[in-house]
Amino acid sequence: MTSQRDAEYAEYVSVRLPALRRLALLLCQDRHRADDLVQQAIIRVYVHWVKASGADNTDAYVNAILVREFLHERRSGWTRRVRVTDQLPESPILTADPDGLIDLQAAVTKLPPGQRAALVLRYYCDLNIDQTAAALGCTTGTVKSQTAKALAALRSRLAGDAPSADRQPSARARHHSGEASHHA
Amino acid sequence: MLESDLRALFERQAASEPPPAPVSVPAAQRIGRVHLRRRRAGTVASPLLAVGAVAAVALSGAISPGAAHQSDTPRASATPRASATPRPSPAQTQPAPITKAVGAAPRQFNPLLEYASFGWLPFSHPVIVGGTGLSYEFLEGSSPSLQNTFNWTANAAGACRLAGKNLTCQGQSVADRLTSRAPDIDGHVAYWGYVPLPPPGPVNQILAYQYARGGWATLEFVGNRYHPDALKIAQDMRLGQALRLRFAVQLTGLAARWHLATDQGFNATPAGPLDRGFGFISQPRPDSNAPAPLEITAQPASTEGVGTCANTRWSVASANGSNTTVGPGTRRVINGYHVYVNSQDQILCANNVDGLSLAIQIDPPTSIPSLNVVSIFTHHLRVLGTDPANWTRDPIAP
């Protein structure tokens, strides 16, 4: 819009870009998706730059835009967008596993976006319940339940049990098991 | 235990060495400007509406350059909008004379003309942004720190509909929860309400009112409802001016059916350079209903972070509203200027052409069979530099 506004925006985003990419990476668990997410988010930041720059905590405001863009885009299927790149597919984020974190990473990747976002905001951004609720645009009760469900799902997966949703047999399996019990 | 493992996992992932960032800040600014323009126009997802309006205007001839001679007052400064609308400071007790609109709202605005300007703003040195399309004109006045903004948008007659507590313009909701009547403005009905679907943070308020018969205007602001400054701004708007604008680039040698569809510019207060971006839209092709939009953006080359072309990626907003990240452009030298060309997506970007950075885009890329961005840059575009004295009031010449 204005030279001054553009300059302030460009300076802010340039400085914050590494942090935004890190947060997006944790939310998406995929670098390419994360960079797409950041690109979309900083467009929204540009559109709302006057509010963002005037917010009490601009960083928190911009983080909230990123998180909400993540949740919104996941709902609207943005991952189907065409992407042209000359880069090779990335290698796994964790290449060594001294602390047994690869299993945890895999489990986190399987969490629904809302639960994953709650975990990232609570345990990476160190936000309290109220701050997490504000960032997600939901109630504190929802944050508590999302966090609890996420932790339960992770514990279940790490213990070797598939969570209840994963234990649901397929229709074909149900059909066969039903037939088996029926015959029995 | 699990919580500490999660912290360790997140920390480790975050600390992993990232590849070079493909994220483009200039691209975000460029796309963001488009979003802002469409949001203000109430046409977020309806570029087709604008094109349809252009075709209608072409038939009536109302937008022909020759129709814009109602007022041809030369402008002396580098800030046409500002020079046309002296803005008294709050300390001034006598506001400048006000030109009130009379009669009906315009059925269409003319992007060659300035219809409205602020008669009063609560800032001593406001930053003014403005833009005009066929169905709207918007003006945004900000405090010098840009912390406080009033965004005024007028819509053409018949473009808006008040249904219950919601005002829709061009099919898009522009104000909702219009639950409280505001004092009448120039004899017309007015309401206090909210901007629909606010982002996180403070909720913007809105004053929606009829600025003339059949035409609705909105004034968006951050602050409490019943904002006295908002009322005074609305009451003191200067309307129906029809002052001609000047442009930093000119298209030449195109078919007569080309018309200016929208423009946008701003005044960086107090004496900064005028930044004038504007778009052109051609008529639909005779054999198709598909639009053929051409957008050209010109900005001062010295503006840091804007118009920089040396990015490896572009974010392209397609006509259906989705965004696509595309590959890098090819660096070329054309007429002695260094440019980046993405032929597949029909984007040309130049960092510095006679002091201006340029971006030319055809969207959809194949919509103008006889033209491409390189031929436009090479044969059809005159760049008039940064001195407003050399700018033109006819952005499309024979």
Side-chain angles (χ1 to χ4, degrees):
Chain A
M1 297 297 296
T2 67
S3 298
Q4 185 178 354
R5 174 190 291 190
D6 273 350
E8 290 179 356
Y9 165 86
E11 180 181 2
Y12 173 84
V13 172
S14 299
V15 170
R16 285 271 295 149
L17 206 50
L20 292 173
R21 293 182 74 203
R22 285 194 294 271
L23 179 56
L25 171 63
L26 299 186
L27 291 170
C28 299
Q29 295 289 313
D30 177 292
R31 285 203 189 282
H32 291 309
R33 289 181 183 174
D35 284 332
D36 279 349
L37 172 64
V38 172
Q39 185 73 60
Q40 289 300 107
I42 64 175
I43 290 172
R44 281 184 61 80
V45 171
Y46 182 87
V47 172
H48 301 290
W49 177 241
V50 172
K51 283 184 183 175
S53 60
D56 291 340
N57 186 337
T58 299
D59 291 353
Y61 187 98
V62 171
N63 286 349
I65 286 180
L66 181 82
V67 172
R68 293 189 187 189
E69 190 71 20
F70 165 70
L71 296 174
H72 170 75
E73 297 280 11
R74 297 292 290 194
R75 284 194 294 267
S76 60
W78 66 279
T79 54
R80 293 194 298 271
R81 283 187 296 146
V82 174
R83 182 183 183 83
V84 179
T85 177
D86 55 359
Q87 296 175 356
L88 294 172
E90 66 180 75
S91 56
I93 295 170
L94 293 179
T95 54
D97 192 27
D99 306 319
L101 293 180
I102 284 182
D103 288 343
L104 180 57
Q105 181 193 342
V108 168
T109 303
K110 291 179 181 175
L111 290 175
Q115 293 181 16
R116 197 188 311 156
L119 291 185
V120 170
L121 292 174
R122 294 296 313 281
Y123 301 117
Y124 175 70
C125 299
D126 282 328
L127 301 187
N128 60 32
I129 296 285
D130 291 336
Q131 291 167 331
T132 303
L136 292 175
C138 64
T139 65
T140 55
T142 300
V143 172
K144 291 175 184 174
S145 66
Q146 292 277 64
T147 306
K149 287 178 182 175
L151 292 175
L154 292 179
R155 287 195 180 95
S156 177
R157 287 197 173 101
L158 293 175
D161 299 332
S164 57
D166 291 351
R167 282 203 303 265
Q168 292 287 332
S170 66
R172 176 183 289 263
R174 279 199 303 273
H175 176 69
H176 286 306
S177 63
E179 284 181 345
S181 60
H182 178 72
H183 290 305
Chain B
M1 178 62 183
L2 180 57
E3 288 85 344
S4 61
D5 283 347
L6 275 172
R7 292 181 195 278
L9 170 68
F10 291 152
E11 288 296 336
R12 184 171 298 184
Q13 287 184 320
S16 61
E17 187 66 27
V23 178
S24 167
V25 176
Q29 290 173 304
R30 191 171 59 82
I31 301 299
R33 276 189 287 274
V34 174
H35 286 207
L36 274 177
R37 197 160 55 233
R38 289 179 180 172
R39 190 167 69 105
R40 285 169 178 138
T43 55
V44 175
S46 56
L48 293 176
L49 289 175
V51 174
V54 171
V57 168
L59 290 172
S60 69
I63 292 289
S64 66
H69 289 289
Q70 300 168 46
S71 174
D72 199 3
T73 307
R75 298 176 179 186
S77 79
T79 56
R81 286 187 185 277
S83 61
T85 57
R87 296 168 185 83
S89 71
Q92 291 178 270
T93 54
Q94 295 295 324
I98 296 169
T99 302
K100 286 294 184 186
V102 292
R107 288 190 172 278
Q108 286 176 324
F109 294 97
N110 186 338
L112 295 171
L113 305 178
E114 182 180 73
Y115 174 79
S117 64
F118 289 114
W120 180 85
L121 279 171
F123 317 120
S124 54
H125 296 289
V127 178
I128 307 295
V129 184
T132 305
L134 295 175
S135 61
Y136 69 93
E137 178 159 312
F138 79 87
L139 287 169
E140 182 180 282
S142 302
S143 60
S145 66
L146 303 178
Q147 299 299 308
N148 201 355
T149 296
F150 291 90
N151 188 326
W152 182 86
T153 302
N155 296 278
C160 301
R161 194 168 71 91
L162 182 64
K165 300 171 184 176
N166 187 267
L167 181 67
T168 58
C169 299
Q170 306 272 353
Q172 297 289 319
S173 177
V174 298
D176 65 9
R177 287 173 281 168
L178 299 172
T179 53
S180 301
R181 277 289 299 269
D184 286 358
I185 295 173
D186 202 22
H188 295 291
V189 65
Y191 298 93
W192 298 108
Y194 296 89
V195 176
L197 299 175
V203 177
N204 268 16
Q205 312 288 323
I206 210 162
L207 174 64
Y209 66 100
Q210 282 192 304
Y211 66 94
R213 192 171 66 249
W216 282 88
T218 56
L219 182 65
E220 179 182 337
F221 55 95
V222 178
N224 297 323
R225 298 172 76 185
Y226 320 117
H227 200 309
D229 286 345
L231 270 182
K232 182 165 175 55
I233 290 169
Q235 290 165 343
D236 288 3
M237 289 300 300
R238 302 162 184 265
L239 304 173
Q241 298 182 128
L243 297 174
R244 296 197 72 184
L245 299 170
R246 294 196 292 192
F247 299 87
V249 297
Q250 183 182 52
L251 279 173
T252 62
L254 295 174
R257 68 175 184 272
W258 285 72
H259 301 301
L260 181 65
T262 64
D263 69 65
Q264 184 173 349
F266 68 81
N267 155 36
T269 303
L274 182 76
D275 180 349
R276 196 113 192 111
F278 49 92
F280 301 87
I281 297 181
S282 80
Q283 280 186 304
R285 283 172 289 160
D287 60 340
S288 168
N289 290 325
L294 164 64
E295 178 166 314
I296 301 177
T297 303
Q299 321 221 28
S302 57
T303 302
E304 187 176 357
V306 177
T308 303
C309 307
N311 302 294
T312 57
R313 289 172 186 275
W314 299 78
S315 258
V316 179
S318 65
N320 65 8
S322 65
N323 291 313
T324 302
T325 305
V326 300
T330 303
R331 189 178 183 191
R332 297 173 57 178
V333 177
I334 300 177
N335 292 346
Y337 298 109
H338 292 278
V339 303
Y340 292 81
V341 178
N342 184 321
S343 298
Q344 179 178 347
D345 297 287
Q346 283 299 298
I347 301 171
L348 182 147
C349 181
N351 277 329
N352 192 330
V353 179
D354 299 337
L356 295 173
S357 70
L358 295 176
I360 304 173
Q361 181 177 0
I362 296 174
D363 183 21
T366 58
S367 56
I368 313 176
S370 60
L371 290 174
N372 58 60
V373 291
V374 173
S375 67
I376 289 169
F377 180 76
T378 307
H379 303 298
H380 298 287
L381 191 68
R382 290 182 63 212
V383 180
L384 304 175
T386 57
D387 184 357
N390 297 326
W391 291 1
T392 180
R393 293 185 172 87
D394 295 315
I396 304 178

